[in-house]
Amino acid sequence: MSHRLVFPKAAPPAACVIAGLLSAGHAGAQAPVPDGAIQLPIPRGALMDPDANAMDAGAPAATDPDAVVFNPALAAIGRANVASGAHLRARAPIPVDIIRKGFAARESMALPRQDRSVGFRLGKDVFSLSTSLTTPAQQGASRDARLDWRWAQPASAGPGLIWGVSTGGTGAVGGNPEQTGDAMIGYRQELLPHLMLTTQLGMAGNYVFAAGDGFHSALTPEVKLSVDLARMADLPWQASFDLALARKLPLVASDYETRGTALLSLKYKWQ
């Protein structure tokens, strides 16, 4: 007589996984969840009541992160933030300026022909990128598309030591690309309550990628007086008068140049 041992066949791995999940879910439904067990971060209260009042959703304590995740009114808080537009105000808008140069209000035969440019510029203070279409003033010259970029660290407006640095570049379809760089250091002091004196030294250079051209650079000392007319006369708008005198001293492949400017600025803002 022979004896034969029969062993049951092994269950497939998928069946074992499904059986384990079903048993775990049944056990969880029968027994309460013990303390310290891992829970899924699903705000079930907010899902069951999508029309929950956002005003009744109190802010949870900052010392309890679980209260933030499992807050029943979490969805209502999110809807209130979206409706308020706070997410839009957090992103600063990018300024856009229209480029329109060389177009006089009235055409006159006495006025010389000027280069005309149309386009737009993105950004202003720190970084700007502009593109334009230029029509030269010379007879028979064709139009050219340009792309300019500039990065700058603006100088402060208060008294004391001031400095600034900037770099940029220009590219044209029918011309030669150019790279520029500027640096400035100076000192601004208040002579009178409404009179500001600024002395500064600037260095500028540019490189033109063309045969026979190359690198140009110059130093420019400048003195400027600024009068705040609005503070002096107690005006309801911004008003200032600036006088400046500068002398350009060439270093490499540049020309001497003396520059004097006078600027009266008036600005009023409607409330």
Side-chain angles (χ1 to χ4, degrees):
M1 179 181 294
S2 60
H3 298 277
R4 184 175 59 182
L5 298 177
V6 179
F7 295 95
K9 294 183 179 180
C16 295
V17 174
I18 295 175
L21 292 177
L22 292 177
S23 61
H26 180 71
Q30 298 294 333
V33 179
D35 295 336
I38 299 177
Q39 303 179 18
L40 295 178
I42 301 178
R44 300 186 180 277
L47 294 179
M48 291 184 296
D49 185 11
D51 298 328
N53 188 5
M55 301 300 295
D56 297 337
T63 57
D64 189 4
D66 292 338
V68 178
V69 177
F70 295 99
N71 185 8
L74 190 60
I77 296 175
R79 289 193 301 270
N81 292 335
V82 172
S84 65
H87 62 293
L88 299 177
R89 293 192 299 269
R91 297 191 299 268
I94 300 177
V96 180
D97 296 330
I98 303 301
I99 299 175
R100 189 178 184 273
K101 298 180 180 179
F103 295 87
R106 293 183 58 187
E107 296 292 343
S108 174
M109 298 299 296
L111 296 176
R113 288 178 55 88
Q114 298 180 353
D115 294 348
R116 294 184 175 183
S117 299
V118 292
F120 63 91
R121 177 184 295 105
L122 300 176
K124 185 177 294 184
D125 295 332
V126 178
F127 181 78
S128 65
L129 179 67
S130 63
T131 179
S132 60
L133 182 64
T134 304
T135 301
Q138 295 83 4
Q139 293 290 344
S142 60
R143 295 182 178 182
D144 194 7
R146 297 172 60 90
L147 178 66
D148 301 339
W149 68 274
R150 180 177 177 84
W151 175 86
Q153 172 63 42
S156 60
L161 182 66
I162 58 174
W163 65 276
V165 62
S166 64
T167 182
T170 299
V173 175
N176 299 312
E178 180 180 355
Q179 182 71 29
T180 62
D182 302 274
M184 182 274 296
I185 187 171
Y187 189 80
R188 184 181 291 120
Q189 57 182 340
E190 190 175 16
L191 300 179
L192 296 174
H194 311 294
L195 181 63
M196 192 78 69
L197 173 64
T198 303
T199 57
Q200 65 185 41
L201 179 64
M203 180 177 180
N206 66 304
Y207 184 84
V208 181
F209 296 86
D213 204 331
F215 185 69
H216 303 255
S217 65
L219 284 173
T220 305
E222 184 175 0
V223 179
K224 182 169 64 174
L225 285 173
S226 301
V227 183
D228 193 343
L229 301 177
R231 292 176 54 191
M232 180 181 298
D234 194 16
L235 300 175
W237 58 77
Q238 298 180 15
S240 62
F241 182 69
D242 299 335
L243 286 175
L245 180 62
R247 174 66 172 171
K248 181 179 178 181
L249 307 176
L251 296 179
V252 180
S254 296
D255 299 328
Y256 286 93
E257 179 183 341
T258 302
R259 181 178 70 251
T261 59
L263 176 64
L264 176 62
S265 175
L266 299 175
K267 184 184 297 184
Y268 184 79
K269 183 178 181 182
W270 294 96
Q271 299 295 334

